[in-house]
Short mmCIF file of all heavy atoms in Angstrom, two decimals:
data_model
loop_
_atom_site.label_atom_id
_atom_site.label_comp_id
_atom_site.label_asym_id
_atom_site.label_seq_id
_atom_site.Cartn_x
_atom_site.Cartn_y
_atom_site.Cartn_z
N THR A 1 95.40 46.65 76.03
CA THR A 1 94.41 47.15 75.07
C THR A 1 94.12 46.09 74.01
O THR A 1 95.03 45.40 73.55
CB THR A 1 94.89 48.44 74.36
OG1 THR A 1 96.02 48.14 73.52
CG2 THR A 1 95.27 49.52 75.37
N ILE A 2 92.85 45.99 73.63
CA ILE A 2 92.43 45.13 72.53
C ILE A 2 91.55 45.98 71.63
O ILE A 2 90.62 46.65 72.10
CB ILE A 2 91.65 43.89 73.02
CG1 ILE A 2 92.54 43.06 73.97
CG2 ILE A 2 91.17 43.04 71.85
CD1 ILE A 2 91.81 41.89 74.63
N TYR A 3 91.86 45.97 70.33
CA TYR A 3 91.20 46.89 69.40
C TYR A 3 90.65 46.10 68.21
O TYR A 3 91.41 45.46 67.49
CB TYR A 3 92.19 47.94 68.94
CG TYR A 3 91.59 49.12 68.20
CD1 TYR A 3 91.42 50.34 68.83
CD2 TYR A 3 91.21 49.01 66.86
CE1 TYR A 3 90.88 51.44 68.16
CE2 TYR A 3 90.67 50.08 66.19
CZ TYR A 3 90.51 51.30 66.84
OH TYR A 3 89.97 52.37 66.17
N PHE A 4 89.33 46.16 68.01
CA PHE A 4 88.70 45.57 66.83
C PHE A 4 88.61 46.65 65.76
O PHE A 4 87.84 47.61 65.89
CB PHE A 4 87.31 45.06 67.17
CG PHE A 4 87.27 43.86 68.07
CD1 PHE A 4 87.30 44.00 69.46
CD2 PHE A 4 87.20 42.58 67.54
CE1 PHE A 4 87.25 42.90 70.30
CE2 PHE A 4 87.15 41.46 68.36
CZ PHE A 4 87.18 41.62 69.75
N GLY A 5 89.41 46.52 64.69
CA GLY A 5 89.40 47.50 63.60
C GLY A 5 89.01 46.85 62.29
O GLY A 5 88.75 45.65 62.22
N GLY A 6 88.95 47.66 61.25
CA GLY A 6 88.53 47.07 59.98
C GLY A 6 88.72 47.99 58.80
O GLY A 6 89.53 48.89 58.86
N GLY A 7 87.86 47.72 57.74
CA GLY A 7 86.64 46.97 57.81
C GLY A 7 85.60 47.57 58.73
O GLY A 7 85.67 48.69 59.14
N THR A 8 84.63 46.74 59.04
CA THR A 8 83.52 47.16 59.89
C THR A 8 83.29 46.13 60.99
O THR A 8 82.47 45.22 60.85
CB THR A 8 82.24 47.35 59.06
OG1 THR A 8 82.51 48.14 57.91
CG2 THR A 8 81.16 48.03 59.89
N PRO A 9 84.03 46.24 62.10
CA PRO A 9 83.88 45.27 63.19
C PRO A 9 82.49 45.25 63.80
O PRO A 9 82.12 44.24 64.43
CB PRO A 9 84.91 45.73 64.22
CG PRO A 9 85.88 46.56 63.44
CD PRO A 9 85.10 47.20 62.35
N SER A 10 81.73 46.34 63.64
CA SER A 10 80.38 46.35 64.23
C SER A 10 79.44 45.40 63.51
O SER A 10 78.28 45.24 63.93
CB SER A 10 79.81 47.77 64.24
OG SER A 10 79.89 48.39 62.98
N LEU A 11 79.91 44.73 62.45
CA LEU A 11 79.12 43.67 61.81
C LEU A 11 79.23 42.35 62.56
O LEU A 11 78.48 41.41 62.29
CB LEU A 11 79.57 43.47 60.36
CG LEU A 11 79.29 44.63 59.39
CD1 LEU A 11 79.87 44.33 58.02
CD2 LEU A 11 77.79 44.90 59.29
N LEU A 12 80.15 42.26 63.52
CA LEU A 12 80.29 41.03 64.30
C LEU A 12 79.12 40.86 65.26
O LEU A 12 78.58 41.83 65.78
CB LEU A 12 81.58 41.07 65.12
CG LEU A 12 82.91 41.03 64.38
CD1 LEU A 12 84.07 41.09 65.38
CD2 LEU A 12 83.03 39.78 63.51
N SER A 13 78.79 39.62 65.53
CA SER A 13 77.78 39.33 66.55
C SER A 13 78.41 39.40 67.93
O SER A 13 79.64 39.36 68.08
CB SER A 13 77.20 37.93 66.33
OG SER A 13 78.18 36.94 66.63
N ASP A 14 77.56 39.47 68.96
CA ASP A 14 78.06 39.47 70.33
C ASP A 14 78.93 38.23 70.59
O ASP A 14 79.99 38.32 71.21
CB ASP A 14 76.92 39.46 71.34
CG ASP A 14 75.91 40.56 71.10
OD1 ASP A 14 76.23 41.50 70.34
OD2 ASP A 14 74.82 40.49 71.68
N LYS A 15 78.48 37.09 70.12
CA LYS A 15 79.21 35.85 70.36
C LYS A 15 80.56 35.87 69.68
O LYS A 15 81.56 35.40 70.25
CB LYS A 15 78.40 34.65 69.88
CG LYS A 15 79.10 33.31 70.19
CD LYS A 15 78.30 32.12 69.72
CE LYS A 15 78.95 30.81 70.13
NZ LYS A 15 80.37 30.70 69.69
N GLU A 16 80.62 36.39 68.45
CA GLU A 16 81.89 36.44 67.74
C GLU A 16 82.90 37.33 68.48
O GLU A 16 84.08 37.01 68.55
CB GLU A 16 81.67 36.93 66.31
CG GLU A 16 80.97 35.89 65.44
CD GLU A 16 80.45 36.45 64.12
OE1 GLU A 16 80.23 37.68 64.03
OE2 GLU A 16 80.25 35.66 63.18
N ILE A 17 82.41 38.44 69.01
CA ILE A 17 83.29 39.32 69.80
C ILE A 17 83.75 38.59 71.06
O ILE A 17 84.94 38.58 71.40
CB ILE A 17 82.55 40.62 70.17
CG1 ILE A 17 82.29 41.46 68.91
CG2 ILE A 17 83.38 41.43 71.18
CD1 ILE A 17 81.39 42.65 69.14
N SER A 18 82.81 37.97 71.76
CA SER A 18 83.15 37.24 72.99
C SER A 18 84.15 36.13 72.73
O SER A 18 85.06 35.89 73.54
CB SER A 18 81.88 36.66 73.62
OG SER A 18 81.01 37.66 74.07
N ASP A 19 83.99 35.43 71.60
CA ASP A 19 84.92 34.34 71.27
C ASP A 19 86.35 34.86 71.15
O ASP A 19 87.30 34.22 71.62
CB ASP A 19 84.49 33.66 69.98
CG ASP A 19 83.26 32.78 70.15
OD1 ASP A 19 82.89 32.48 71.30
OD2 ASP A 19 82.66 32.40 69.12
N PHE A 20 86.52 36.01 70.51
CA PHE A 20 87.86 36.60 70.38
C PHE A 20 88.41 37.00 71.75
O PHE A 20 89.58 36.75 72.05
CB PHE A 20 87.82 37.82 69.46
CG PHE A 20 87.95 37.49 68.00
CD1 PHE A 20 86.89 37.69 67.14
CD2 PHE A 20 89.15 36.99 67.49
CE1 PHE A 20 87.01 37.39 65.79
CE2 PHE A 20 89.28 36.68 66.13
CZ PHE A 20 88.21 36.88 65.28
N LEU A 21 87.59 37.62 72.56
CA LEU A 21 88.06 38.08 73.87
C LEU A 21 88.38 36.91 74.79
O LEU A 21 89.35 36.95 75.55
CB LEU A 21 87.03 39.02 74.50
CG LEU A 21 86.80 40.33 73.74
CD1 LEU A 21 85.74 41.18 74.44
CD2 LEU A 21 88.09 41.12 73.59
N ASN A 22 87.57 35.86 74.69
CA ASN A 22 87.86 34.66 75.49
C ASN A 22 89.17 34.02 75.04
O ASN A 22 89.96 33.54 75.88
CB ASN A 22 86.72 33.65 75.37
CG ASN A 22 85.46 34.11 76.09
OD1 ASN A 22 85.52 34.92 77.01
ND2 ASN A 22 84.32 33.59 75.68
N GLU A 23 89.40 34.01 73.73
CA GLU A 23 90.66 33.46 73.20
C GLU A 23 91.85 34.29 73.68
O GLU A 23 92.88 33.74 74.08
CB GLU A 23 90.62 33.43 71.67
CG GLU A 23 91.80 32.71 71.04
CD GLU A 23 91.81 31.23 71.36
OE1 GLU A 23 90.77 30.56 71.20
OE2 GLU A 23 92.88 30.73 71.80
N ALA A 24 91.70 35.61 73.64
CA ALA A 24 92.78 36.48 74.09
C ALA A 24 93.12 36.23 75.56
O ALA A 24 94.29 36.15 75.94
CB ALA A 24 92.38 37.95 73.89
N ARG A 25 92.10 36.06 76.39
CA ARG A 25 92.33 35.83 77.81
C ARG A 25 92.92 34.45 78.07
O ARG A 25 93.63 34.24 79.05
CB ARG A 25 91.04 36.02 78.60
CG ARG A 25 90.58 37.49 78.64
CD ARG A 25 89.41 37.69 79.59
NE ARG A 25 89.12 39.11 79.76
CZ ARG A 25 88.21 39.79 79.07
NH1 ARG A 25 87.50 39.15 78.13
NH2 ARG A 25 88.02 41.06 79.27
N SER A 26 92.62 33.54 77.17
CA SER A 26 93.18 32.19 77.31
C SER A 26 94.66 32.15 76.91
O SER A 26 95.46 31.42 77.53
CB SER A 26 92.39 31.21 76.44
OG SER A 26 92.97 29.93 76.41
N ASP A 27 95.03 32.93 75.90
CA ASP A 27 96.37 32.85 75.33
C ASP A 27 97.35 33.88 75.90
O ASP A 27 98.57 33.70 75.80
CB ASP A 27 96.32 33.04 73.81
CG ASP A 27 95.46 31.98 73.13
OD1 ASP A 27 95.35 30.88 73.68
OD2 ASP A 27 94.90 32.27 72.05
N PHE A 28 96.84 34.96 76.47
CA PHE A 28 97.69 36.06 76.92
C PHE A 28 97.34 36.47 78.34
O PHE A 28 96.26 36.16 78.85
CB PHE A 28 97.51 37.28 76.00
CG PHE A 28 97.84 37.02 74.56
CD1 PHE A 28 96.88 36.56 73.68
CD2 PHE A 28 99.13 37.21 74.09
CE1 PHE A 28 97.18 36.30 72.35
CE2 PHE A 28 99.46 36.96 72.77
CZ PHE A 28 98.47 36.50 71.90
N SER A 29 98.25 37.19 78.95
CA SER A 29 97.98 37.80 80.26
C SER A 29 97.31 39.14 80.01
O SER A 29 97.96 40.11 79.58
CB SER A 29 99.29 37.99 81.03
OG SER A 29 99.06 38.74 82.21
N VAL A 30 96.01 39.22 80.23
CA VAL A 30 95.24 40.43 79.97
C VAL A 30 95.02 41.15 81.30
O VAL A 30 94.67 40.52 82.31
CB VAL A 30 93.88 40.11 79.31
CG1 VAL A 30 93.07 41.39 79.10
CG2 VAL A 30 94.11 39.40 77.98
N SER A 31 95.22 42.47 81.32
CA SER A 31 95.11 43.25 82.55
C SER A 31 93.68 43.21 83.09
O SER A 31 92.74 42.84 82.38
CB SER A 31 95.54 44.70 82.31
OG SER A 31 94.62 45.35 81.45
N GLU A 32 93.52 43.60 84.35
CA GLU A 32 92.21 43.56 84.98
C GLU A 32 91.26 44.60 84.38
O GLU A 32 90.04 44.40 84.39
CB GLU A 32 92.34 43.81 86.49
CG GLU A 32 93.01 42.67 87.24
CD GLU A 32 93.01 42.90 88.73
OE1 GLU A 32 92.38 43.89 89.18
OE2 GLU A 32 93.64 42.10 89.45
N ASN A 33 91.80 45.70 83.88
CA ASN A 33 90.96 46.77 83.34
C ASN A 33 91.44 47.19 81.96
O ASN A 33 91.87 48.32 81.75
CB ASN A 33 90.96 47.97 84.29
CG ASN A 33 90.00 49.06 83.84
OD1 ASN A 33 88.96 48.78 83.26
ND2 ASN A 33 90.37 50.31 84.10
N PRO A 34 91.35 46.29 80.98
CA PRO A 34 91.85 46.63 79.65
C PRO A 34 90.92 47.59 78.93
O PRO A 34 89.72 47.61 79.19
CB PRO A 34 91.89 45.27 78.94
CG PRO A 34 90.77 44.51 79.57
CD PRO A 34 90.78 44.93 81.03
N GLU A 35 91.48 48.37 78.03
CA GLU A 35 90.67 49.16 77.11
C GLU A 35 90.33 48.27 75.93
O GLU A 35 91.24 47.77 75.25
CB GLU A 35 91.45 50.39 76.64
CG GLU A 35 90.71 51.22 75.59
CD GLU A 35 91.60 52.28 74.98
OE1 GLU A 35 92.35 51.96 74.03
OE2 GLU A 35 91.56 53.43 75.46
N ILE A 36 89.04 48.03 75.70
CA ILE A 36 88.61 47.15 74.60
C ILE A 36 87.73 47.98 73.66
O ILE A 36 86.60 48.36 74.02
CB ILE A 36 87.86 45.92 75.12
CG1 ILE A 36 88.73 45.16 76.13
CG2 ILE A 36 87.50 44.99 73.96
CD1 ILE A 36 88.09 43.95 76.74
N THR A 37 88.26 48.26 72.49
CA THR A 37 87.63 49.18 71.55
C THR A 37 87.04 48.45 70.35
O THR A 37 87.65 47.53 69.81
CB THR A 37 88.66 50.22 71.04
OG1 THR A 37 89.28 50.86 72.16
CG2 THR A 37 88.00 51.27 70.15
N LEU A 38 85.87 48.91 69.93
CA LEU A 38 85.23 48.41 68.71
C LEU A 38 84.97 49.58 67.77
O LEU A 38 84.32 50.55 68.16
CB LEU A 38 83.90 47.73 69.05
CG LEU A 38 83.12 47.13 67.87
CD1 LEU A 38 83.71 45.77 67.49
CD2 LEU A 38 81.64 46.97 68.21
N GLU A 39 85.51 49.52 66.56
CA GLU A 39 85.12 50.50 65.54
C GLU A 39 83.70 50.17 65.09
O GLU A 39 83.39 49.01 64.81
CB GLU A 39 86.06 50.45 64.35
CG GLU A 39 87.45 50.99 64.65
CD GLU A 39 88.35 51.00 63.43
OE1 GLU A 39 87.95 50.46 62.37
OE2 GLU A 39 89.46 51.56 63.51
N ALA A 40 82.85 51.19 65.02
CA ALA A 40 81.43 50.95 64.72
C ALA A 40 80.91 52.00 63.74
O ALA A 40 81.26 53.18 63.85
CB ALA A 40 80.61 50.98 66.00
N ASN A 41 80.10 51.56 62.82
CA ASN A 41 79.41 52.48 61.93
C ASN A 41 78.07 52.88 62.54
O ASN A 41 77.40 52.05 63.18
CB ASN A 41 79.18 51.85 60.56
CG ASN A 41 80.43 51.88 59.71
OD1 ASN A 41 81.44 52.49 60.07
ND2 ASN A 41 80.39 51.21 58.56
N PRO A 42 77.64 54.12 62.35
CA PRO A 42 76.39 54.59 62.98
C PRO A 42 75.18 53.73 62.66
O PRO A 42 74.32 53.54 63.53
CB PRO A 42 76.24 56.00 62.40
CG PRO A 42 77.65 56.46 62.18
CD PRO A 42 78.37 55.23 61.68
#
């Protein structure tokens, strides 16, 4: 599981989110079907 909390993570751009997820996959063994959650304001 990877969870973006805050604060307001929905203020991140697509690229900023992708950069974190790419870093996570580079540094850790991430499962094939992880739960990846973003807290978002309406």
Side-chain angles (χ1 to χ4, degrees):
T1 67
I2 301 174
Y3 192 103
F4 291 86
T8 311
S10 51
L11 292 177
L12 293 179
S13 69
D14 307 346
K15 183 180 185 306
E16 288 167 337
I17 293 171
S18 294
D19 286 346
F20 275 112
L21 295 179
N22 289 337
E23 188 66 50
R25 290 189 172 94
S26 173
D27 300 333
F28 301 89
S29 172
V30 178
S31 67
E32 290 185 7
N33 185 33
E35 176 189 84
I36 305 178
T37 306
L38 181 80
E39 290 183 352
N41 281 353

